[in-house]
């Protein structure tokens, strides 16, 4: 509840609009309101004009007549309701049948009094309406305040999550031949492709921030295999190929969206469109879209990077290779998106070179 003093001040200074076609009636209401200390009263004889003022000016309460020539009070109520302004409407009318009263409430009126009325009664009911309206405003302000705090916290939490992801991916890089720039480039390639696929903004962001974790499972691969300069034996390959499953286990079971996306990517980034990938041999759309996107970004960057066992391919050669893998390694839609995103991909490629 409001404090007594502030409530009285606020109530009496609340802006009130009187809509009534009868000049005498308007004058009576005006005098009565001023006699009772209300200081912000606007009157309008023309209901159509009143409606446009309601939209542009700020009123707490409207005292509304019903039988008016330009616009019936019910039509006024119907129109007003469309704007959802939260203004209380107090019907002051000569019509005293119950049907009219019920219809007015149905159309959104908050109070109803019939003429002739007792001044004290109208003022008391008007004051109560204003108190309710002021309290509602207070509550709404408080709710907005808490909402803003909550959204600040959400941003902080999201930043914390993406930092954890970056740090975890750095941990995996320490054990790998790949450099930190690999994950920067491939996550940006993934973002560009996801954007070209017109995925929702939230999904694009999840993919961008989760992509760096794709190889976190390599933490579980022995150094002798992971850092071996020469080609791997078949047995070593089998072990190497467990890194998606290990990554999926490291990140799996989270209720956090970003970690869930990272788990999905870690587990599926070596699946292939034609079903010849690993670890599950998923085929076509069985592969989550995040995995399909990361696959192309990861391979493209691996091709265009120097590794201890190979030279970097030229950008155009790698691009041609990607196109040749349509329907084999990569999804046709994702390759098309990769082509569409070529300007952004070129920019990332040039920007993040050692
Ligand atoms: Fe991998
Ligand atoms: Fe990678």
């Amino acid at each position: 509840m409001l404090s007594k003093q502030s409530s009285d001040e606020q109530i009496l200074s609340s802006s009130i609009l009187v809509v009534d076609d009868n000049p005498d009636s308007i004058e009576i209401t005006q005098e009565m309101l001023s006699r009772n200390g209300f200081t912000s009263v606007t009157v309008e004889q023309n209901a159509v004009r009143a409606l446009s003022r309601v939209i542009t000016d700020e009123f707490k309460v409207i005292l509304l007549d019903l039988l008016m020539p330009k616009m019936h009070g019910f039509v006024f109520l119907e129109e007003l309701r469309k704007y959802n302004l939260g203004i209380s409407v107090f019907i002051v009318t000569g019509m005293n049948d119950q049907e009219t009263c019920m219809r007015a409430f149905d159309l959104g009126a908050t109070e109803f009094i019939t003429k002739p009325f007792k001044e004290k009664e109208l003022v008391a009911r008007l004051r109560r309406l204003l108190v309710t309206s002021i309290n509602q405003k207070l509550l709404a302000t408080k709710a907005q305040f808490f909402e803003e705090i909550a959204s600040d916290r959400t941003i902080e939490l999201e930043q914390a999550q993406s930092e954890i992801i970056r740090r975890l991916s750095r941990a995996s890089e320490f054990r790998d031949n790949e450099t930190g720039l690999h994950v920067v480039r491939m996550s940006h390639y993934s973002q560009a492709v996801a954007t070209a696929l017109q995925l929702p903004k939230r999904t694009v962001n999840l993919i961008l921030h989760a992509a760096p974790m794709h190889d976190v499972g390599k933490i579980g691969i022995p150094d002798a295999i992971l850092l071996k300069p020469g080609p791997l034996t078949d047995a070593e390959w089998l072990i190497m190929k467990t890194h998606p499953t290990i990554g999926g286990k490291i990140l799996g079971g989270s209720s956090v969206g970003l970690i869930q996306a990272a788990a999905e990517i870690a587990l599926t980034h070596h699946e292939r469109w034609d079903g010849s990938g690993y670890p599950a041999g998923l085929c076509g759309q069985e592969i989550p879209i995040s995995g399909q996107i990361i696959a192309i970004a990861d391979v493209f960057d691996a091709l265009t990077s120097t590794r201890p066992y190979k030279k970097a391919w030229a950008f155009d050669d790698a691009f041609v290779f990607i196109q040749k893998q349509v329907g084999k390694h990569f999804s046709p839609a994702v390759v098309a998106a990769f082509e569409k995103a070529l300007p952004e991909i070129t920019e990332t490629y040039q920007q993040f070179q050692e």
Side-chain angles (χ1 to χ4, degrees):
M1 255 340 230
L2 300 165
S3 77
K4 184 92 181 76
Q5 197 190 358
S6 71
S7 80
D8 230 47
E9 265 174 38
Q10 274 179 286
I11 290 167
L12 293 174
S13 63
S14 296
S15 52
I16 300 165
L17 175 66
V18 181
V19 187
D20 195 324
D21 62 304
N22 184 330
D24 296 339
S25 186
I26 283 207
E27 207 182 310
I28 294 169
T29 312
Q30 235 178 341
E31 277 172 11
M32 178 194 67
L33 291 173
S34 117
R35 215 173 19 248
N36 285 279
F38 293 95
T39 55
S40 176
V41 179
T42 308
V43 296
E44 186 57 74
Q45 265 181 266
N46 179 328
V48 179
R49 239 184 355 240
L51 193 64
S52 69
R53 292 191 70 161
V54 163
I55 296 156
T56 50
D57 303 355
E58 227 186 90
F59 296 106
K60 283 245 167 358
V61 168
I62 301 169
L63 293 182
L64 180 67
D65 183 25
L66 285 183
L67 284 178
M68 296 180 288
K70 290 249 181 337
M71 183 188 264
H72 192 282
F74 286 162
V75 181
F76 184 95
L77 280 171
E78 272 171 15
E79 289 301 312
L80 182 68
R81 193 151 65 167
K82 290 180 193 160
Y83 295 96
N84 200 15
L85 298 165
I87 307 172
S88 309
V89 180
F90 195 154
I91 305 289
V92 186
T93 176
M95 302 170 75
N96 61 358
D97 60 297
Q98 208 174 359
E99 209 178 303
T100 305
C101 179
M102 292 317 291
R103 176 114 177 91
F105 284 127
D106 274 352
L107 290 170
T110 16
E111 268 290 3
F112 190 98
I113 199 166
T114 42
K115 297 178 200 169
F117 49 79
K118 291 200 179 85
E119 178 170 331
K120 265 193 176 164
E121 189 185 346
L122 183 135
V123 170
R125 283 160 72 171
L126 177 58
R127 288 182 71 106
R128 202 184 52 200
L129 256 193
L130 287 166
V131 169
T132 311
S133 148
I134 293 164
N135 278 338
Q136 272 168 354
K137 181 89 195 273
L138 262 179
L139 277 178
T141 313
K142 269 191 197 161
Q144 193 189 353
F145 174 73
F146 285 119
E147 230 170 66
E148 277 165 15
I149 289 185
S151 93
D152 283 352
R153 293 272 152 79
T154 310
I155 290 169
E156 226 170 78
L157 260 176
E158 279 172 0
Q159 282 169 346
Q161 286 171 16
S162 95
E163 182 171 340
I164 290 167
I165 294 264
R166 279 200 308 276
R167 287 177 187 276
L168 253 177
S169 54
R170 208 178 288 167
S172 63
E173 282 157 28
F174 266 114
R175 305 211 42 250
D176 204 341
N177 283 321
E178 291 172 357
T179 68
L181 280 176
H182 165 64
V183 293
V184 173
R185 283 187 305 259
M186 62 78 67
S187 54
H188 281 89
Y189 294 156
S190 308
Q191 179 191 29
V193 173
T195 306
L197 278 167
Q198 294 182 316
L199 297 184
K201 186 107 189 65
R202 185 182 141 69
T203 311
V204 175
N205 273 332
L206 280 177
I207 289 175
L208 168 71
H209 293 294
M213 300 284 296
H214 66 285
D215 266 342
V216 75
K218 285 188 180 170
I219 290 174
I221 305 298
D223 281 358
I225 298 173
L226 195 63
L227 304 176
K228 187 174 172 181
L232 300 181
T233 65
D234 287 352
E236 287 167 339
W237 254 119
L238 279 182
I239 295 169
M240 187 63 169
K241 280 167 139 183
T242 61
H243 81 268
T245 312
I246 297 170
K249 279 188 186 153
I250 291 173
L251 297 163
S254 173
S255 57
V256 177
L258 186 55
I259 314 279
Q260 285 170 346
E264 187 177 86
I265 285 169
L267 189 60
T268 61
H269 73 280
H270 285 292
E271 298 291 353
R272 293 177 179 221
W273 187 255
D274 62 8
S276 67
Y278 61 91
L282 299 179
C283 199
Q285 295 298 3
E286 285 173 0
I287 309 165
I289 188 69
S290 62
Q292 295 176 30
I293 293 171
I294 301 296
I296 204 166
D298 194 28
V299 168
F300 182 78
D301 194 65
L303 291 176
T304 49
S305 304
T306 308
R307 297 281 158 88
Y309 48 89
K310 76 164 199 47
K311 280 194 181 140
W313 288 28
F315 185 97
D316 292 343
D317 294 343
F319 183 58
V320 170
F321 175 83
I322 294 284
Q323 287 173 314
K324 280 190 183 155
Q325 288 297 316
V326 174
K328 296 176 196 163
H329 192 151
F330 306 122
S331 135
V334 174
V335 172
F338 188 88
E339 288 166 3
K340 198 171 148 198
L342 204 58
E344 290 79 24
I345 286 167
T346 311
E347 200 185 314
T348 298
Y349 170 82
Q350 287 164 347
Q351 198 177 350
F352 298 103
Q353 290 298 331
E354 1 260 298

